[in-house]
């Protein structure tokens, strides 16, 4: 089959690779209909993930049709249209039972490299095999482990372009608002107007936030944000973000601050990567947040950031929470929301391309060029 | 010492699983003696928590697969995990820090800690999910598969 592969630092290319095969009884094979770029790919693309091997198939978020099921798959049948949660999780371990599939103990395959902190994260698609990851969805076919746990039937009325965002971006945004315990009357600030940031803003509005302010440096992205009811935009290139947020929250500061600024495309750098400006949004969030508020850090963040404002954090009695992709349990409710047109995501697919143009698509996505938020590929 | 007694009391009394209170006490004594910055010892206990009750993890005291294959090379203890989290299952090379003789060394390899953590992870996966999750096979492992 054809698949978009990592080919070394800064390089991706469409290659011919063997079709995926069922390896476990709970696996199924999906023929991909759509897949989307993801900010978590950027460090890999830049060559900052030393575990990556050339030829590994990229793609963390995808949807498609079931073409083959293992003997232990109960919830899916051939020809079902499914969206697959970005975290590979077992559904049976303590973390999965606590509705934390991104923390699953059993989601990595084979003999995976152990993280420094000794606790394996969930598995994922388009992550290096040496980290226990699985081949990704920028391909014609993909193997889906723990199919009953990680894949969800898509309602007929929901388009592919909308549903593909239920794989990772929408669950991440919704989980961000949930972790922040956004409640009616809250003021919420979100750093980052990418897909996850925009969907976090939607989620905060859905949970009854009084005011949601999104901070970014891209006018094209911020214009998309202000098209949504109850969402305001701040461009940190032109305004004093802390002063604006104080003013817009009655001098209290936002109740919940979400850092959805993702990872930078800077690199290739050394490992572990210390991102010189990588913590800017987090620092600003800690300074802006009201006393006793919650700061949420979304998505995978490789490496380290320095100059964490520990004093403000302690003095203000803040809580900091973090989440990688939520996936799993939230997806059916998000698909229902999509079916009712209460969650609209297809505008985030600013660029749609055949998989053959994968390299061009990733270049646009990396550089945020031409108003690119997400590129959706069709294999 | 109160803690080591609790460990002994919580340990499952069975012949197959060698749950050794003195071994637990040795671990604790060693932790107290350890200097800051001292290297972790290759013979330390490796532990996982399995989300299942002890009677499922060690039915009739029998070691679960694939841990069972290491019989003769390692010692094992188990106890109920607090808060209903299941069972804490621990394993270390037989004889603690001492170099392993012959066949045992062959089974455990030259990084016993890492090897035993991997075996524990697989044991846990099998008990919790019914399978050991396999990695994708690389093209090199699939000479017959047409690219
Ligand atoms: Zn799990």
């Amino acid at each position: 089959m054809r698949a978009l592969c990592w080919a070394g630092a800064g390089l991706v290319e469409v290659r011919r690779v063997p079709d995926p095969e069922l390896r476990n009884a709970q696996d199924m094979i999906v023929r991909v209909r759509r897949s989307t770029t993801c900010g978590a790919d950027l460090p890999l693309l830049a060559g900052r993930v030393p575990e990556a091997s050339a030829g590994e198939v990229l793609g963390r978020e995808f949807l498609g049709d079931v073409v083959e099921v293992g003997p232990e798959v109960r919830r899916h049948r051939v020809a079902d249209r499914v969206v697959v949660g970005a975290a590979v999780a077992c559904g049976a371990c303590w973390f999965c039972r606590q509705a934390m599939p991104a923390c699953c103990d059993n989601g990595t395959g084979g003999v995976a490299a152990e993280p420094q902190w000794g606790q394996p994260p969930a598995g994922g698609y388009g992550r290096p095999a040496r980290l226990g990851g699985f081949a990704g969805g920028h391909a014609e076919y993909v193997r889906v482990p723990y199919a009953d746990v990680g894949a969800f039937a898509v309602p007929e009325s929901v388009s592919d372009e909308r549903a593909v965002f239920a794989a990772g971006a929408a669950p991440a945004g919704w989980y961000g608002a949930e972790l922040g315990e956004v409640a009616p009357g809250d003021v919420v600030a979100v750093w980052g107007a990418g897909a996850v940031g925009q969907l976090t803003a939607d989620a905060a509005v859905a949970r009854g936030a009084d005011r949601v302010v999104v901070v970014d440096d891209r006018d094209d992205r911020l214009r998309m944000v202000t098209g949504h009811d109850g969402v305001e935009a701040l461009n940190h290139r032109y305004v004093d973000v802390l002063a604006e947020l104080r003013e817009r929250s009655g001098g209290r500061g936002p109740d919940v601050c979400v850092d959805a600024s993702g990872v930078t495309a800077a690199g290739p750098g050394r490992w572990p990567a210390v991102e010189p400006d990588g913590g800017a949004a987090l620092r600003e969030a800690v300074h802006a947040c009201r006393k006793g508020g919650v700061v949420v850090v979304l998505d995978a963040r490789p490496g380290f950031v320095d100059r964490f404002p520990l004093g403000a954090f302690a003095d203000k009695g803040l809580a900091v929470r973090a989440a990688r992709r939520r996936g799993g349990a939230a997806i059916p409710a998000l698909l229902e929301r999509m079916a009712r047109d209460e969650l609209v995501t297809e505008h985030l697919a600013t660029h749609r391309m055949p998989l053959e143009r994968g390299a061009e698509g990733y270049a646009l996505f990396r550089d945020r060029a031409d108003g690119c938020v997400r590129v959706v590929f069709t294999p | 010492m109160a803690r080591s007694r609790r460990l002994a009391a919580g340990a499952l009394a069975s012949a197959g699983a060698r749950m050794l209170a003195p071994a637990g006490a040795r671990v604790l004594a060693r932790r107290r003696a350890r200097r800051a910055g001292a290297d972790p010892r290759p013979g330390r206990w490796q532990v996982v928590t399995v989300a299942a009750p002890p009677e499922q993890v060690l039915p009739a005291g029998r070691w679960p697969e694939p841990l069972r294959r290491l019989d003769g090379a390692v010692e094992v203890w188990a106890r109920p995990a607090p808060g209903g989290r299941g069972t804490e299952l621990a394993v270390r090379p037989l004889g603690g820090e001492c170099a392993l003789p012959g066949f045992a060394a062959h089974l455990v390899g030259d990084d016993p800690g890492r090897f035993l953590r991997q075996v524990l992870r697989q044991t846990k996966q099998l008990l919790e999910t019914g399978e050991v999750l396999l990695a994708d096979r690389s093209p090199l492992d699939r000479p017959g598969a047409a690219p």
Side-chain angles (χ1 to χ4, degrees):
Chain A
M1 65 169 183
R2 292 166 303 114
L4 185 67
C5 298
W6 187 71
L11 294 174
V12 295
E13 62 187 27
V14 174
R15 292 184 177 180
R16 292 204 75 85
V17 300
D19 288 353
E21 54 179 351
L22 297 177
R23 292 277 281 147
N24 283 89
Q26 302 171 64
D27 287 356
M28 67 183 184
I29 306 291
V30 164
R31 181 195 288 122
V32 178
R33 296 171 69 98
R34 299 288 186 280
S35 61
T36 171
T37 54
C38 169
D41 291 332
L42 294 176
L44 180 66
L45 258 57
R48 284 186 289 153
V49 181
E51 293 87 357
S53 307
E56 290 190 317
V57 181
L58 298 167
R60 292 166 194 254
E61 301 171 27
F62 57 92
L63 112 167
D65 300 316
V66 177
V67 292
E68 197 180 351
V69 294
E72 294 292 326
V73 175
R74 302 276 177 265
R75 288 182 45 223
H76 301 293
R77 284 187 302 191
V78 169
D80 284 357
R81 187 169 63 125
V82 295
V83 65
V84 177
V88 174
C90 75
C93 71
W94 184 83
F95 293 98
C96 285
R97 291 183 195 175
Q98 305 295 313
M100 294 187 279
C103 298
C104 177
D105 270 340
N106 299 315
T108 54
V111 181
E114 296 174 322
Q116 224 175 341
W117 46 93
Q119 301 165 1
Y125 303 94
R127 293 188 80 220
R130 280 164 64 190
L131 295 175
F134 299 90
H138 293 327
E140 290 179 86
Y141 299 93
V142 61
R143 168 193 170 204
V144 176
Y146 300 127
D148 282 344
V149 181
F152 300 89
V154 179
E156 210 172 298
S157 63
V158 181
S159 71
D160 291 344
E161 276 75 13
R162 184 177 292 186
V164 72
F165 290 96
W174 245 256
Y175 195 33
E178 190 183 318
L179 280 180
E181 296 172 14
V182 174
D186 276 356
V187 177
V188 178
V190 179
W191 279 258
V196 172
Q198 293 194 34
L199 288 161
T200 305
D202 284 352
V205 170
R207 290 176 67 100
D210 182 62
R211 205 160 191 178
V212 179
V213 184
V214 178
V215 182
D216 202 293
D217 66 347
R218 306 287 305 209
D219 284 326
D220 43 14
R221 290 185 170 197
L222 290 171
R223 269 195 299 277
M224 296 175 82
V225 166
T226 49
H228 294 227
D229 284 345
V231 183
E232 303 160 32
L234 288 179
N235 188 322
H236 65 73
R237 281 190 298 166
Y238 313 138
V239 301
D240 178 340
V241 171
L242 291 178
E244 285 285 340
L245 288 175
R246 261 197 311 275
E247 192 179 321
R248 294 176 193 216
S249 60
R252 303 182 300 274
D255 302 280
V256 181
C257 291
V258 181
D259 175 3
S261 62
V263 291
T264 62
R270 64 192 185 287
W271 179 264
V274 177
E275 301 187 38
D277 197 35
L282 177 60
R283 277 194 293 278
E284 206 162 63
V286 168
H287 284 134
C289 197
R290 77 148 159 82
K291 288 177 284 185
V294 184
V295 173
V296 179
V297 180
L298 285 180
D299 282 346
R301 301 297 176 94
F304 300 82
V305 294
D306 56 4
R307 292 186 294 139
F308 181 80
L310 189 58
F313 170 65
D315 267 356
K316 296 166 78 171
L318 301 180
V320 176
R321 295 184 179 157
R324 281 173 69 225
R325 296 270 179 264
R326 169 104 189 268
I331 293 178
L334 291 169
L335 288 168
E336 280 166 30
R337 230 170 228 285
M338 288 175 168
R340 295 193 301 265
D341 288 329
E342 290 167 15
L343 175 58
V344 175
T345 52
E346 52 269 31
H347 60 289
L348 300 167
T350 50
H351 295 72
R352 301 171 193 195
M353 296 180 179
L355 188 61
E356 268 65 26
R357 291 171 61 194
E360 178 191 345
Y362 263 100
L364 277 173
F365 176 65
R366 178 196 62 205
D367 302 336
R368 300 181 181 183
D370 191 31
C372 183
V373 175
R374 287 287 184 104
V375 183
V376 170
F377 297 115
T378 305
Chain B
M1 289 321 284
R3 189 165 165 81
S4 67
R5 270 202 302 280
R6 211 179 108 203
L7 193 79
L12 296 178
S14 91
R18 289 136 222 216
M19 284 152 293
L20 305 170
R26 271 206 305 278
V27 170
L28 293 167
R30 196 184 302 147
R31 179 181 299 166
R32 277 195 295 272
R34 199 178 140 192
R35 294 182 309 276
D39 284 335
R41 310 204 175 180
R44 76 161 63 246
W45 289 98
Q46 304 294 336
V47 194
V48 287
T49 300
V50 181
E55 58 271 22
Q56 276 174 35
V57 174
L58 296 159
R62 274 155 47 92
W63 295 8
E65 288 290 349
L67 195 57
R68 199 181 300 166
R69 293 171 211 169
L70 299 183
D71 198 359
V74 297
E75 55 185 318
V76 168
W77 66 254
R79 67 167 187 175
R85 283 168 169 79
T87 304
E88 293 176 5
L89 182 63
V91 55
R92 73 171 178 180
L94 208 54
E97 301 145 42
C98 308
L100 292 166
F103 183 60
H106 172 73
L107 277 177
V108 171
D110 57 5
D111 185 351
R114 182 175 150 75
F115 175 78
L116 292 180
R117 283 196 297 283
Q118 190 64 34
V119 173
L120 280 177
R121 282 204 63 208
Q122 290 179 346
T123 303
K124 172 183 158 75
Q125 269 190 355
L126 195 57
L127 284 161
E128 290 181 343
T129 76
E131 293 186 278
V132 173
L133 184 58
L134 300 175
D136 296 329
R137 286 199 300 167
S138 79
L140 290 175
D141 298 328
R142 304 174 60 190

